[in-house]
Amino acid sequence: MGADLQDIDLRGADLSMANLSEANLLGAFLFNADLSGANLIGANLDRANLRGPAWTGTSTTYNADTHWPDGFDPEAAGAVMDD
């Protein structure tokens, strides 16, 4: 929670069920990372590489304060908005 993971290489990392709320993932490389069930509420994922991460299984959650890369559609990827 609240971790500074800016520009970190998390390629292939198992982040399933991780609490990444309020985390700074600006520019993080998440290629093929497992984000299923991760808590991304309030996380900053601007400029993150989100190609190929796993979002299946338990729902990955986010809210209106979560920042996504330009053009990324979290719902189309399988993430669920937490009101």
Side-chain angles (χ1 to χ4, degrees):
M1 182 172 169
D4 185 4
L5 302 171
Q6 182 173 342
D7 296 320
I8 195 164
D9 185 349
L10 294 169
R11 170 185 10 205
D14 181 359
L15 300 171
S16 59
M17 305 302 290
N19 182 359
L20 297 170
S21 62
E22 305 294 326
N24 179 14
L25 291 154
L26 177 76
F29 191 63
L30 295 162
F31 182 77
N32 285 337
D34 183 355
L35 292 169
S36 57
N39 176 350
L40 296 174
I41 291 174
N44 181 3
L45 292 140
D46 283 331
R47 297 192 326 259
N49 179 330
L50 295 175
R51 291 188 187 157
W55 304 86
T56 56
T58 307
S59 298
T60 300
T61 56
Y62 70 99
N63 67 0
D65 294 326
T66 304
H67 296 274
W68 299 99
D70 288 339
F72 183 78
D73 183 350
E75 289 184 11
V80 176
M81 179 98 164
D82 185 301
D83 297 326

